[in-house]
Amino acid sequence: MSLKQDRTTAGNRAGRWSGRVATALVGAAAATFALAGPAGAAPLWPGGPEVPGIESLVLGSGSRLPVEPAAPVAPFSAPSVNPANGETVGVAQPIIIRFDEAIGDRAAAERAISITTTPAVGGHFYWASDRQVRWRPFDFWPAHTQVTVAAGDTRSSFTIGDAQITVADDNTKTITVTRNGEVVRTMPTSFGKPGHETPNGTYIVGERFRDMYMDSSTYGVPVDSPEGYRTYVEYATRISNSGIFVHAAPWSEWAQGNTNTSHGCLNVSTEDGKWFFENAQKGDPVIVQNTGGGVLNGWDGLGDWNL
């Protein structure tokens, strides 16, 4: 189902129908007056000269035409909406709405947001803060769903792409990628080593970097400490805001498929890293399972499916 579906109201249909009836009745009344003769003739309608209102003729005595309910007033200025208008995203992508002001009445804000989908998809709101609300379907989006979000003066229409789902299993130390139900790539991998185990859970593909430096000091571990590092990597695809990537790691190809050696990332060969970089899209799910690393925080920013 979609939230607050646009609809043609019964009142609009009744209005068009009653307009046609009114035209016919006015014509009939005019003809009757033409035949009535002098002004002192008997009134056209028994009990008085007034022509009855069209409501009573169409709906009967005491009835009222349906009234269109007033549209909810948005208690916010134009927010930003992610995904942006025209984007194509993966089946795990949440809708993220960021406001310029703190929202005091969350229920009123939700009522002022319309999410329309084809086909119909059920889902729910959840708040990350007073300035950010998210919405996601109860299950992954169906492939190729069309989605339109209207939030106050902001509108975004985007498309769900192919159902590309990646499963990384620490039991086999293998990454398997399916697209619309068919296996399209299998890659040996190395997960986080003891003490740096990769968390389990459903991740969401975020930004991608052709190359970058990974620096342990960004999460509080000095580069010159025993577990510190500053490493140049290629074909890095982010799957968590806490710093977990699928990336090329030619230095660990010996371990990929048999031994965990990373600081939490999914290490793959340069060939596999390039393939994933080029084929993964924003919003694709990456499901990590059977590790000893607990579960990815649902409020990571790319961990919505773990809430």
Side-chain angles (χ1 to χ4, degrees):
M1 66 181 174
S2 58
L3 300 180
K4 303 181 183 171
Q5 303 286 337
D6 294 333
R7 59 191 183 279
T8 302
T9 66
N12 290 337
R13 293 193 294 269
R16 292 193 295 271
W17 179 72
S18 61
R20 292 192 292 270
V21 173
T23 301
L25 290 172
V26 169
T32 304
F33 278 121
L35 295 172
L44 178 63
W45 308 103
E50 297 84 0
V51 177
I54 192 64
E55 283 190 12
S56 62
L57 291 173
V58 174
L59 299 176
S61 177
S63 299
R64 292 291 183 269
L65 291 171
V67 177
E68 172 75 13
V73 177
F76 47 78
S77 56
S80 66
V81 174
N82 179 9
N85 191 59
E87 274 196 279
T88 297
V89 295
V91 297
Q93 177 65 42
I95 296 169
I96 305 169
I97 302 173
R98 295 184 174 90
F99 305 100
D100 291 332
E101 57 279 295
I103 302 300
D105 189 339
R106 294 182 176 185
E110 292 178 13
R111 288 194 296 271
I113 298 169
S114 170
I115 298 171
T116 307
T117 70
T118 303
V121 178
H124 66 102
F125 286 106
Y126 49 105
W127 288 77
S129 72
D130 287 341
R131 292 175 180 263
Q132 183 187 133
V133 66
R134 295 180 173 226
W135 190 97
R136 71 164 176 80
F138 295 123
D139 300 301
F140 291 157
W141 295 98
H144 312 131
T145 299
Q146 301 296 314
V147 186
T148 296
V149 181
D153 293 330
T154 302
R155 185 181 180 90
S156 176
S157 293
F158 60 91
T159 302
I160 306 300
D162 287 333
Q164 180 160 301
I165 299 173
T166 298
V167 177
D169 191 336
D170 196 14
N171 281 347
T172 60
K173 294 178 176 49
T174 300
I175 295 172
T176 303
V177 183
T178 62
R179 184 179 299 142
N180 300 324
E182 297 185 4
V183 175
V184 293
R185 192 83 173 187
T186 301
M187 303 178 281
T189 190
S190 180
F191 292 81
K193 62 187 177 180
H196 298 272
E197 292 89 348
T198 308
N200 295 281
T202 299
Y203 297 65
I204 302 171
V205 168
E207 57 195 336
R208 290 169 290 169
F209 299 92
R210 171 59 182 81
D211 59 358
M212 66 180 296
Y213 279 93
M214 292 189 168
D215 190 329
S216 64
S217 65
T218 60
Y219 62 87
V221 179
V223 172
D224 58 0
S225 70
E227 287 296 329
Y229 58 87
R230 178 174 167 79
T231 306
Y232 173 78
V233 301
E234 294 186 285
Y235 303 113
T237 300
R238 181 187 292 280
I239 60 173
S240 87
N241 283 336
S242 55
I244 298 176
F245 291 75
V246 178
H247 67 81
W251 59 85
S252 73
E253 284 192 36
W254 66 270
Q256 293 163 19
N258 61 80
T259 307
N260 291 334
T261 62
S262 82
H263 284 83
C265 290
L266 305 185
N267 287 183
V268 294
S269 69
T270 299
E271 180 183 356
D272 285 338
K274 181 176 185 291
W275 184 92
F276 196 77
F277 172 87
E278 293 176 344
N279 286 274
Q281 65 183 344
K282 169 184 171 180
D284 283 348
V286 177
I287 301 168
V288 175
Q289 59 190 30
N290 297 318
T291 78
V295 178
L296 176 69
N297 186 343
W299 294 112
D300 167 89
L302 293 171
D304 298 55
W305 293 90
N306 303 309
L307 292 172

